[in-house]
Amino acid sequence: MQLVRVPSLCRPYCWLIMRLLENSKDTPTAMVHNDKDGVTNGKCEADDPQASMASPVKRRKQAQSQAWEWEEVEIDIGWGNLRGKARGTGPRLMLGVHGWLDNANTFDLIAPMIPDDVRFISLDLPGHGLSDHFPPGFIYDPRGYAGAIKKAVIVLGWKRFIYLGHSMGAVVGILYTSIFPEDIEAFISVDIIKTWSLKPEKYASELKRYYLSYFDNETKSKQPALVYQEEELLQKTIDGSKSLNEEGAKILLKRGAKKAEDGKGLILRRDLRAKAFFIGFLPFEAWVDMATSIKCPLLFLKATDGHYYESKDKYDIMRSAFNQDSKHFSYHEIAGKHHIHLTNPDEVGEHVLAFLKACMSLKISEEAQSSS
């Protein structure tokens, strides 16, 4: 296995990194590695140079037929390592963030449609996939995930990037984009306009329910992991999601499960504590204010039979808030359930590619205006 240390720390950020990671003994690092010859920086040397100009569907089929390899990425953020997978050469940058209890494999079917000049990292959130679990006592919720992503971005040295999120990953993305707008070039959300909100009178009872669930999962996480037979776990994943087909479930389980110690059966890698259903910790008005504050280009892809957490009128208010000051706003409904990027990847990929082209045109136009 070839292991390459990425020179990722930018000097202007060093003081911030040291303060964020002051309790870490080692300097945070980002590393990538690839097992297969002929693959450099996420790009297969035998690739058709015209592939980046092909349609998304053709690009996906070409990439799959050539067994285009991902690079595994490891990012030391002080308390532990976040892991993910990368492909593409850059200079444009894109970060993919999966949904609740999923992992970095979630974008496997649309990634080959992303142009070669985009360096795409699909990240495992803490407690998911191959990433380390949060330390004992740390509560899993979108605010913690957003903080972990910010640390990873600093270590990578990324200054501006495109954020692609599905479900909870998109919820985290809305938070991140409103908190750190200087980091985000554009934002793409798959099947999320917003998560649910709690009325003030519901906060105490819902927080109690959350904590009791969290403590129960914390106790269970110290017990031997449940062992499943492959077909049993596959069906459990399909049934539990209510939106995955067999292909999508297999893709997620490749990274989300591992063999039991005795080699008989599979166990899930995720931290059981992350299974506690995260609550709507902000009032509706706060979500609207965050949406209004986001100015970057926005793409929302909504599944026609996807998840809805609020009444239609609240969704309409949120859409209007996102559209209010965005440089470029796009909204499309796609036939399917919650995991449309795994069940209908070609249509999702077409919209993502068109949005990336629109963002590039907008950027070129803005640069031309600023230089004139």
Side-chain angles (χ1 to χ4, degrees):
M1 176 184 292
Q2 183 182 10
L3 188 65
V4 182
R5 184 177 297 274
V6 179
S8 59
L9 299 183
C10 296
R11 289 180 182 176
Y13 287 116
C14 285
W15 67 273
L16 181 55
I17 296 168
M18 293 304 295
R19 294 192 65 177
L20 283 169
L21 304 175
E22 60 185 358
N23 293 326
S24 175
K25 295 180 181 179
D26 301 313
T27 301
T29 58
M31 309 182 81
V32 298
H33 50 78
N34 194 302
D35 292 321
K36 190 167 182 176
D37 294 335
V39 180
T40 305
N41 217 17
K43 177 167 177 148
C44 184
E45 293 176 355
D47 283 347
D48 178 0
Q50 299 300 316
S52 63
M53 303 301 293
S55 71
V57 176
K58 184 177 180 182
R59 283 176 54 77
R60 180 162 72 86
K61 291 178 179 178
Q62 286 176 337
Q64 288 174 337
S65 67
Q66 294 165 349
W68 189 327
E69 290 294 304
W70 291 85
E71 298 168 307
E72 285 296 319
V73 177
E74 184 175 288
I75 309 168
D76 178 358
I77 61 171
W79 57 260
N81 293 316
L82 296 187
R83 296 178 178 87
K85 39 198 279 187
R87 64 195 302 158
T89 57
R92 302 178 77 186
L93 304 171
M94 177 185 284
L95 185 72
V97 183
H98 60 80
W100 184 53
L101 304 182
D102 290 344
N103 57 65
N105 279 11
T106 197
F107 299 114
D108 275 13
L109 296 185
I110 65 171
M113 306 181 219
I114 297 171
D116 300 345
D117 68 348
V118 176
R119 178 64 169 172
F120 177 51
I121 293 181
S122 186
L123 192 68
D124 288 324
L125 289 171
H128 296 71
L130 304 182
S131 285
D132 289 346
H133 298 177
F134 271 136
F138 198 103
I139 298 294
Y140 282 90
D141 82 13
R143 292 166 292 187
Y145 295 135
I149 290 172
K150 179 59 177 177
K151 283 192 172 186
V153 167
I154 293 171
V155 174
L156 288 168
W158 286 13
K159 294 184 177 180
R160 285 183 65 78
F161 61 93
I162 300 159
Y163 188 112
L164 166 63
H166 168 243
S167 191
M168 186 183 74
V171 173
V172 175
I174 294 169
L175 277 176
Y176 191 100
T177 304
S178 62
I179 297 169
F180 304 111
E182 66 277 8
D183 289 359
I184 305 299
E185 179 182 331
F187 175 72
I188 303 171
S189 170
V190 180
D191 204 37
I192 277 289
I193 300 296
K194 71 173 296 295
T195 187
W196 56 89
S197 306
L198 290 179
K199 295 180 179 179
E201 62 268 24
K202 293 284 188 179
Y203 263 72
S205 60
E206 289 300 312
L207 278 169
K208 181 178 181 178
R209 184 169 72 94
Y210 172 80
Y211 280 121
L212 293 178
S213 172
Y214 186 87
F215 296 151
D216 181 56
N217 286 331
E218 187 176 45
T219 300
K220 290 177 180 176
S221 69
K222 298 173 184 177
Q223 300 170 358
L226 294 176
V227 179
Y228 302 92
Q229 295 307 304
E230 184 175 347
E231 288 303 316
E232 176 190 12
L233 184 56
L234 178 63
Q235 194 59 51
K236 178 181 175 66
T237 302
I238 294 171
D239 294 344
S241 72
K242 298 181 175 60
S243 58
L244 284 168
N245 56 19
E246 183 174 332
E247 180 186 22
K250 286 181 176 178
I251 287 171
L252 291 177
L253 286 174
K254 283 181 182 178
R255 195 173 185 92
K258 63 180 180 180
K259 286 185 178 181
E261 289 186 7
D262 60 4
K264 299 177 181 179
L266 299 171
I267 61 175
L268 292 169
R269 296 179 185 272
R270 66 193 182 210
D271 189 343
L272 264 179
R273 295 177 299 161
K275 194 175 178 181
F277 208 53
F278 64 93
I279 62 169
F281 51 85
L282 292 172
F284 177 68
E285 293 76 13
W287 286 106
V288 173
D289 284 346
M290 284 191 293
T292 304
S293 73
I294 295 174
K295 307 295 191 295
C296 70
L298 299 170
L299 170 63
F300 288 89
L301 301 176
K302 190 75 185 75
T304 55
D305 195 21
H307 289 179
Y308 289 87
Y309 304 99
E310 300 276 16
S311 60
K312 185 180 183 301
D313 62 321
K314 287 189 175 181
Y315 272 84
D316 291 342
I317 292 171
M318 284 295 293
R319 279 182 58 182
S320 297
F322 280 120
N323 191 21
Q324 179 173 308
D325 292 319
S326 172
K327 294 179 180 179
H328 177 85
F329 180 84
S330 295
Y331 174 89
H332 303 277
E333 293 189 355
I334 296 176
K337 297 184 178 180
H338 188 50
H339 285 82
I340 46 174
H341 56 304
L342 285 167
T343 58
N344 195 351
D346 293 336
E347 188 173 353
V348 171
E350 291 276 5
H351 285 299
V352 170
L353 183 59
F355 178 71
L356 293 178
K357 289 180 178 178
C359 290
M360 178 56 74
S361 298
L362 179 63
K363 185 177 181 180
I364 292 172
S365 176
E366 289 178 340
E367 289 176 349
Q369 290 179 3
S370 64
S371 62
S372 62

